[in-house]
Amino acid sequence: MPATDEITSDSKDNFASKVMIQLKQDILIGFFKPGEKLLMSRLKERYQVGISPLREALSQLLVEQLVVVENQRGFKVHPISLQEMHDIYQSRALIEQLCISLAIERGDDEWEAGILASAHKMQKFSDCIESHPHEWEKRHQDFHTAIASGCQSPTLLQVRRSLYEKASRYRNLWLNKNMPDPKVFATNQRQHQDLITALLQRDIPLAKQLIAEHLLSPSLLLGKNDSLQ
Amino acid sequence: MPATDEITSDSKDNFASKVMIQLKQDILIGFFKPGEKLLMSRLKERYQVGISPLREALSQLLVEQLVVVENQRGFKVHPISLQEMHDIYQSRALIEQLCISLAIERGDDEWEAGILASAHKMQKFSDCIESHPHEWEKRHQDFHTAIASGCQSPTLLQVRRSLYEKASRYRNLWLNKNMPDPKVFATNQRQHQDLITALLQRDIPLAKQLIAEHLLSPSLLLGKNDSLQ
DNA sequence: AAAGGGCATAATGTCGACATTATTTGTTTT
DNA sequence: AAAACAAATAATGTCGACATTATGCCCTTT
């Protein structure tokens, strides 16, 4: 019975799966720029695999709308637009409101405990944001995932994950210069604390309002926030 | 300048795209049963293509969770379960409520006109349900899509489409014997009319209640409908 | 000199073949 | 006779190569 390597859990998967994860990351962090043509020769060299796994990985990212395909002209990185960013952020806020509402209705003691545990791990890491931004990003994500997971709906959680990934692309490309700002960081910490309070009090309207403000604040570079009760 | 074949619009796409559509249909209608192993040799023979386009198509359906892949053991049709059916139907109802709420807030005259037009085309086809069930299904779908499209959110509409497809699988597999029932059909027609009235009156709470009842009625074979305000 | 057409280059899309891995069948041993 | 091991069969995953199609360059023509 093999004991180790349960962390990565992909040492036995096929090439397409591994390449898909790497390629997705490269697109999300902006190594491949929006609209950029994805040459097969370049991808082959970068990921050290043949054409077949590459095309399978690209086919998967096609469904996730991270790449686009033109008739007989190969693959390109999905272009970005202010319009799409607003739509994604708005939709993400609505889905997150949905998950949180359901979580408040369905969440049990374990759900509450998970929120407090992940919040603690996030807050203990507050001082290391600038030194390890990637790890802090993970703990922040884990905190919000702990909240949303209380909805107990795999379908909604998968939609939520997909929207998170697309939004993170815009965050990395356009608005990742506001994280080291201590002003907005203090605001974020306060938002987290208020959210936890609202959750434990099972105050659905307040929690919905708080999560919407929290998620949409980075995208308020340009206005246009309407209709989220 | 080529004039024709804009109807299918896929006569020039690559094989993987065409095979994906056909294979998706075959899974949704139940030609390939849930959990069934998808032999490459059989797929090659059925769709008359090589392995490469097949694997690309399967990779796409993997993301849409219509097939699953086991380590080095090939592809299988995604299994079904009562639990997943409830989750999909519940999530679909919530997403549809979201789209309709936004549509009522954002919809203009053209939105209203589109609803009435598609409703008319659906009702004129009421007598032909048993003779052309497929065409009636399309008009029914067009009617609801006309309503939801008023939300003007490509992201939400895509989520909605994905959930519709998954739900249609369960409808085809488990509960497609209640359509010719005249009793439930009359109820459906009444539900449509009430929904249109609520939409034109911009009554969001009523519209949300009506659409939830309409979408969840087929899945009420077993209870468990909670929390849709 | 600019525009259009034709040729050369390059990239994509697809297939067949090979190596690896799982499954089944048959044999042997207890 | 049942279980376990081994060989044979079959299916998957990957790569290289070929045909098709797009792109860029150069030459010709007005």
Side-chain angles (χ1 to χ4, degrees):
Chain A
M1 164 183 317
T4 50
D5 68 16
E6 285 285 336
I7 307 98
T8 57
S9 79
D10 57 336
S11 61
K12 36 134 193 228
D13 282 355
N14 57 3
F15 287 4
S17 173
K18 283 181 279 194
V19 169
M20 189 273 279
I21 294 173
Q22 290 184 270
L23 184 51
K24 180 191 286 188
Q25 278 304 311
D26 284 336
I27 292 175
L28 292 182
I29 69 173
F31 178 84
F32 291 118
K33 303 291 187 297
E36 179 178 349
K37 189 154 177 17
L38 293 169
L39 272 297
M40 281 298 178
S41 53
R42 187 163 174 219
L43 299 179
K44 264 182 65 170
E45 186 188 10
R46 177 167 178 80
Y47 304 113
Q48 292 293 310
V49 293
I51 295 181
S52 304
L54 273 177
R55 289 189 63 89
E56 292 178 28
L58 288 165
S59 295
Q60 296 184 41
L61 298 181
L62 193 67
V63 178
E64 300 195 39
Q65 294 196 309
L66 291 178
V67 306
V68 293
V69 60
E70 269 176 292
N71 192 359
Q72 209 98 324
R73 249 160 286 183
F75 294 89
K76 291 193 324 185
V77 180
H78 195 290
I80 60 177
S81 68
L82 202 59
Q83 185 179 344
E84 195 202 48
M85 185 185 87
H86 280 134
D87 187 36
I88 289 173
Y89 267 83
Q90 198 77 14
S91 301
R92 183 161 95 101
L94 291 167
I95 297 297
E96 195 84 19
Q97 284 183 329
L98 216 49
C99 292
I100 286 184
S101 297
L102 293 172
I104 289 178
E105 293 179 1
R106 302 174 181 174
D108 53 3
D109 295 347
E110 193 181 0
W111 171 66
E112 295 185 358
I115 294 173
L116 294 177
S118 56
H120 180 73
K121 287 172 66 177
M122 178 176 63
Q123 284 164 343
K124 292 284 280 188
F125 211 75
S126 299
D127 305 329
C128 312
I129 297 178
E130 303 201 14
S131 56
H132 302 281
H134 194 271
E135 173 65 19
W136 190 80
E137 188 55 41
K138 183 189 179 306
R139 300 199 180 196
H140 184 209
Q141 181 184 353
D142 287 345
F143 168 67
H144 284 289
T145 299
I147 296 173
S149 64
C151 75
Q152 296 171 356
S153 168
T155 299
L156 286 179
L157 290 175
Q158 184 199 340
V159 172
R160 175 182 175 274
R161 166 182 288 269
S162 171
L163 293 182
Y164 169 80
E165 289 177 349
K166 290 193 208 173
S168 74
R169 181 158 170 249
Y170 282 96
R171 198 183 56 238
N172 290 329
L173 292 175
W174 278 353
L175 16 111
N176 61 351
K177 69 271 291 181
N178 56 354
M179 253 308 121
D181 186 352
K183 182 85 168 290
V184 58
F185 174 68
T187 303
N188 262 23
Q189 290 290 73
R190 165 58 61 97
Q191 286 176 335
H192 290 152
Q193 204 53 55
D194 293 345
L195 179 60
I196 293 175
T197 304
L199 292 175
L200 296 184
Q201 290 177 347
R202 310 275 170 164
D203 189 336
I204 291 183
L206 179 58
K208 288 175 70 172
Q209 180 197 328
L210 291 176
I211 194 63
E213 290 174 1
H214 182 58
L215 292 183
L216 294 179
S217 52
S219 77
L220 290 186
L221 301 174
L222 207 143
K224 193 186 180 186
N225 59 332
D226 48 9
S227 73
L228 16 137
Q229 52 181 50
Chain B
M1 167 182 316
T4 50
D5 68 18
E6 285 285 335
I7 306 99
T8 57
S9 80
D10 57 336
S11 61
K12 41 155 190 202
D13 281 356
N14 56 3
F15 287 4
S17 173
K18 282 182 279 194
V19 170
M20 189 272 280
I21 294 173
Q22 290 184 268
L23 183 52
K24 180 191 286 188
Q25 278 305 311
D26 284 337
I27 292 175
L28 292 182
I29 69 174
F31 178 84
F32 291 116
K33 302 291 187 296
E36 178 177 349
K37 189 153 177 18
L38 293 169
L39 273 297
M40 281 298 178
S41 53
R42 188 165 174 217
L43 299 179
K44 264 183 65 171
E45 186 188 11
R46 177 169 178 80
Y47 303 114
Q48 292 293 309
V49 294
I51 294 181
S52 304
L54 272 177
R55 289 189 63 90
E56 292 178 27
L58 287 165
S59 295
Q60 296 185 39
L61 297 182
L62 193 67
V63 178
E64 300 196 39
Q65 294 195 308
L66 291 178
V67 306
V68 294
V69 60
E70 269 177 292
N71 192 358
Q72 210 96 323
R73 250 159 286 183
F75 294 89
K76 290 193 324 186
V77 180
H78 196 290
I80 61 177
S81 68
L82 202 58
Q83 186 180 342
E84 194 201 49
M85 185 185 87
H86 280 133
D87 188 36
I88 288 173
Y89 267 84
Q90 198 77 13
S91 302
R92 184 160 94 102
L94 291 166
I95 297 297
E96 194 85 17
Q97 283 183 329
L98 216 48
C99 292
I100 286 185
S101 298
L102 294 172
I104 289 178
E105 293 179 1
R106 302 174 181 174
D108 53 2
D109 295 346
E110 193 180 1
W111 172 66
E112 295 185 358
I115 294 172
L116 294 177
S118 56
H120 181 73
K121 287 173 65 177
M122 179 177 62
Q123 283 164 343
K124 292 283 280 188
F125 212 76
S126 298
D127 304 330
C128 311
I129 297 179
E130 304 202 13
S131 58
H132 302 281
H134 195 271
E135 174 65 20
W136 190 81
E137 188 55 40
K138 184 191 179 305
R139 300 199 180 195
H140 184 210
Q141 181 184 353
D142 287 345
F143 167 67
H144 284 289
T145 300
I147 296 173
S149 65
C151 75
Q152 296 171 354
S153 169
T155 299
L156 286 179
L157 289 175
Q158 183 198 342
V159 171
R160 175 182 175 273
R161 165 182 289 269
S162 171
L163 293 182
Y164 169 81
E165 290 177 350
K166 290 192 209 173
S168 74
R169 181 159 170 249
Y170 282 96
R171 198 183 55 238
N172 290 329
L173 291 175
W174 278 353
L175 15 112
N176 61 351
K177 70 273 292 183
N178 56 354
M179 253 309 120
D181 185 353
K183 182 85 168 293
V184 58
F185 174 68
T187 303
N188 263 22
Q189 290 290 72
R190 165 57 63 96
Q191 286 176 335
H192 289 152
Q193 204 54 54
D194 293 346
L195 179 60
I196 293 176
T197 304
L199 293 174
L200 297 184
Q201 291 177 347
R202 310 275 169 163
D203 189 336
I204 291 182
L206 180 58
K208 288 174 72 172
Q209 179 197 330
L210 292 175
I211 194 63
E213 290 174 2
H214 181 59
L215 292 183
L216 293 179
S217 52
S219 77
L220 290 186
L221 301 174
L222 206 141
K224 192 186 179 185
N225 57 334
D226 49 9
S227 73
L228 12 141
Q229 54 182 49

